[in-house]
Amino acid sequence: MRFDLITLFPEMFAAIRDQGVSGRAHQRGLWSLHAWNPRDFTQDVHRTVDDRPFGGGPGMVMMAEPLAQAVQAVRLSRREAGADEADQPAPVVLLSPAGRTHRQAQARRWAASTGAILVCGRYEGIDQRFIDRYVDLEVSLGDFVLSGGELGAMVLIDSIVRLLPGVLHDAESAEQDSFNPALTGLLDSPHYTRPETWNGTSAPDILLSGHHSRIAAWRRQQSLTLTATRRPDLIEQARRSGDLSVQDESILKAVPPSAGEGE
Ligand code: 9WO
């Protein structure tokens, strides 16, 4: 899998390239990262990538041409490297609050792809003509504004790379994650480790009992209760998908209706 980043701040991506789970997977050659600076695709002596907005207003706007030149260079490079077939070029993705919200199901679909070309905007935004001409897809991570698309791109890549086969040591650890369909889209149960008593509080006895079926039942109950309290929308979704058992429903009957903790 290969990700190409079009960014004015290529150094930022060292964070996911070199650290943690994604860093290890990168080192093992399970994915690659190529950063392209629009500044390197300018023609003027000042290497200008932004200009004042037509119609006035604060800040600056990223110019279309350096971004377009960068996309064309990326496409050529991916073709030459054999990362893409000519008839199936990688999509050009813009990180933007106006995009479709990124979800775990979408991360799974990306994990089965050859990667993407991610465009990271800065300043007040990008000339709309570039977006109209080159961007296949806009992706949002949620209803907030960043100072640039880079952190968004890193979040997106991390969520995808950790799902690649062989990336996680313990094949189980992605299974237990929040939003895993094996857990029917519920939030994960709480975790505890040594010492048994910390700061005057003991870990739940059940987890020290060694009784595997009772531990599994306790975790399911915790998972259902937490989800019902924090994210009742996810309970509704699991119910509609037919993922809740009679036992689950009887656990949920004991959960008081949430008082809008979601906000
Ligand atoms: C900003 C914006 C605000 C409202 C509606 C649409 C919008 N598009 C953009 C945009 O593309 N902004 C560029 C990228 C330039 C300014 C910083 N950018 C950005 C991306 N800020 N916040 C994001 C982002 C990306 C993914 N998920 C949440 C926020």
Side-chain angles (χ1 to χ4, degrees):
M1 174 168 291
R2 168 171 165 168
F3 289 100
D4 292 89
L5 286 314
I6 298 179
T7 171
L8 290 169
F9 298 96
E11 299 83 6
M12 286 181 73
F13 291 89
I16 54 164
R17 187 194 58 212
D18 299 342
Q19 305 290 327
V21 167
S22 60
R24 197 177 64 220
H26 180 267
Q27 203 166 20
R28 292 168 57 206
L30 298 176
W31 67 287
S32 67
L33 187 153
H34 300 256
W36 307 76
N37 193 331
R39 233 176 257 294
D40 296 333
F41 297 89
T42 54
Q43 303 286 339
D44 66 313
V45 66
H46 300 293
R47 316 217 310 151
T48 311
V49 293
D50 61 325
D51 208 334
R52 292 152 65 198
F54 283 139
M60 301 292 270
V61 174
M62 287 185 92
M63 297 165 74
E65 187 60 18
L67 293 170
Q69 293 295 331
V71 168
Q72 279 162 21
V74 171
R75 287 217 170 115
L76 196 64
S77 167
R78 289 186 68 106
R79 272 295 290 139
E80 283 171 356
D84 296 329
E85 300 299 330
D87 58 334
Q88 270 190 318
V92 175
V93 178
L94 175 66
L95 279 301
S96 143
R100 293 269 306 263
T101 307
H102 183 59
R103 296 181 194 292
Q104 191 64 20
Q106 193 57 46
R108 274 184 230 112
R109 275 176 231 126
W110 281 115
S113 79
T114 60
I117 303 166
L118 305 180
V119 178
C120 305
R122 282 273 156 174
Y123 312 117
E124 294 303 308
I126 296 174
D127 190 310
Q128 187 62 36
R129 292 166 295 185
F130 168 81
I131 299 173
D132 295 342
R133 169 71 178 79
Y134 284 98
V135 171
D136 298 305
L137 181 68
E138 292 185 50
V139 173
S140 167
L141 296 166
D143 295 335
F144 49 82
V145 177
L146 301 167
S147 9
E150 286 82 3
L151 286 169
M154 285 193 264
V155 170
L156 186 70
I157 292 170
D158 184 83
S159 75
I160 295 164
V161 161
R162 63 191 296 286
L163 299 178
L164 296 177
V167 165
L168 293 177
H169 271 149
D170 184 351
E172 295 274 270
S173 45
E175 301 268 288
Q176 293 281 332
D177 281 358
S178 295
F179 303 108
N180 189 293
L183 276 171
T184 62
L186 305 179
L187 302 176
D188 202 356
S189 57
H191 303 278
Y192 298 86
T193 188
R194 293 193 299 176
E196 276 185 39
T197 301
W198 178 79
N199 218 236
T201 309
S202 297
D205 284 337
I206 181 79
L207 297 178
L208 308 169
S209 70
H211 208 298
H212 298 301
S213 65
R214 279 197 220 155
I215 290 170
W218 180 85
R219 286 185 170 149
R220 181 72 181 178
Q221 181 251 322
Q222 291 287 311
S223 189
L224 286 160
T225 308
L226 181 68
T227 310
T229 310
R230 302 274 182 88
R231 295 290 305 275
D233 58 310
L234 296 180
I235 293 288
E236 210 33 65
Q237 210 174 299
R239 194 172 272 139
R240 277 197 302 273
S241 312
D243 289 334
L244 298 184
S245 68
V246 172
Q247 169 73 29
D248 290 339
E249 293 292 1
S250 91
I251 289 165
L252 288 170
K253 279 204 196 85
V255 182
S258 154
E261 285 192 51
E263 293 301 301

